[in-house]
Structures are given as C-alpha cells and as structure tokens.
C-alpha cells in the first residue's frame, strides 16, 4: 500500500528540523526517519557520517585596559551579537611575553580566557605592565573525531592605557 512516488517529495521543509543547542557540531551521526502512523514505523539508521570541527580563533591586535569598555581585555573578539569568535578548540595554552621574552601571562582555562582574557597585568607580580607591543603564542588542539596534532598561532598585541 505504499505510494509509487517517493515519500520525501511530499515532506514540507518545516517538518525537517534539527535544533543545535551546542555551539559545536563535532561528532559522528546517523539519521533515521519516523512516520506518523500508529504505531510509528522507523527506518534503519543511515550510514554513520562524521563532522570535524572548524577552529575559529579571532584575537584583537590592540587593547586598552584603562577601565573604559569595550577593549579592557585581551580576549577573543566578539561578533555583532556579543558572541566570542572562539570555537571548536579542544584544549589550548595562551602565553603572552614582553619585549624581553619574559612570560607575563599564561592561561589554559577557556572560560577565563573567553570571558576575561588578559587584563594587562604581570601574572607573577600583579602589577600593570608597560604600554607596548607584546608577543603571544596560542597553542591549541582543534576539536575533532580523531586525534589532531597541536597547532600554533603566533601574533602581537599592542597595549595602550
């Protein structure tokens, strides 16, 4: 009693929806279909397909930790909706060095980095660092369904008070 035309042709696009609640879709998936019969019929699972992450890290090249928002912290750039441009990063370490090569800031905490970042203080003394150009090394591992090698992003950021 099945119709001779494919059923998929009669499905309205509004009936096919998937809501992503996690900002990352990295993982392996399979698809099944369920009809509205009583009792419901479910198809076999499709072949499993896997989606790797597409790391996104956008850091500013200047910040001014002087108490006047919005550029008080060296942290990921925000989009027009205030969302950080930082995703699909499994683990990372950010190190910031002064012009003499001394480490002034280091973090591996994604929540701390995305929310507060570096406020322009020497982590070992708690004192404000001088205005100037600082070198950073951002070592990270992309989210993936297979083990990925570490990647390194180097750059500079200028601090103005």
């Amino acid at each position: 009693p099945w119709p001779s035309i494919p059923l998929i042709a009669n499905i309205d696009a509004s009936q096919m929806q998937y809501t992503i609640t996690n900002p990352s879709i990295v993982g392996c998936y399979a698809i099944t279909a369920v009809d509205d019969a009583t009792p419901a019929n479910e198809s076999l699972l499709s072949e499993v397909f896997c989606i790797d992450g597409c790391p996104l890290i956008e850091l500013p090249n200047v910040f001014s930790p002087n108490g006047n928002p919005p550029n008080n912290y060296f942290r990921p750039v925000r989009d027009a909706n205030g969302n950080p441009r930082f995703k699909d990063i499994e683990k990372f370490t950010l190190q910031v060095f002064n012009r003499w090569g001394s480490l002034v800031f280091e973090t591996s905490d994604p929540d701390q980095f995305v929310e507060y970042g570096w406020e322009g203080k020497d982590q070992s003394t708690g004192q404000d660092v001088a205005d100037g150009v600082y070198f950073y090394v951002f070592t990270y591992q992309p989210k993936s369904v297979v083990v990925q090698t570490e990647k390194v992003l180097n750059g500079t950021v200028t601090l103005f008070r």
Side-chain angles (χ1 to χ4, degrees), residues 2-158:
W2 291 101
S4 60
I5 59 170
L7 290 175
I8 196 77
N10 296 325
I11 296 177
D12 183 316
S14 67
Q15 294 174 301
M16 295 185 290
Q17 40 180 293
Y18 176 74
T19 303
I20 298 173
T21 57
N22 184 331
S24 177
I25 60 170
V26 175
C28 292
Y29 303 90
I31 298 172
T32 185
V34 180
D35 66 19
D36 60 358
T38 305
N41 298 297
E42 183 172 1
S43 71
L44 297 174
L45 286 175
S46 70
E47 286 189 36
V48 173
F49 61 95
C50 297
I51 301 173
D52 269 341
C54 184
L56 173 64
I57 308 160
E58 190 174 334
L59 300 173
N61 61 358
V62 66
F63 77 112
S64 56
N66 59 9
N68 293 331
N71 299 317
N72 285 321
Y73 305 102
F74 177 61
R75 64 182 183 180
V77 172
R78 303 306 202 243
D79 66 17
N81 296 319
N83 299 313
R85 310 253 320 142
F86 184 87
K87 72 173 193 144
D88 289 341
I89 305 297
E90 187 70 36
K91 58 184 177 179
F92 76 94
T93 300
L94 170 70
Q95 297 176 306
V96 180
F97 300 90
N98 64 18
R99 63 183 171 184
W100 297 284
S102 297
L103 181 69
V104 295
F105 179 75
E106 182 174 29
T107 187
S108 296
D109 180 342
D111 295 329
Q112 186 276 337
F113 178 60
V114 168
E115 187 63 31
Y116 304 107
W118 178 45
E119 73 283 359
K121 294 185 183 292
D122 186 315
Q123 207 168 28
S124 63
T125 66
Q127 300 296 313
D128 288 347
V129 298
D131 287 12
V133 177
Y134 291 81
F135 182 75
Y136 64 83
V137 178
F138 189 90
T139 306
Y140 68 98
Q141 191 168 9
K143 280 188 180 176
S144 177
V145 294
V146 297
V147 175
Q148 293 280 329
T149 59
E150 279 190 342
K151 303 200 181 304
V152 178
L153 175 66
N154 297 317
T156 60
V157 60
T158 303

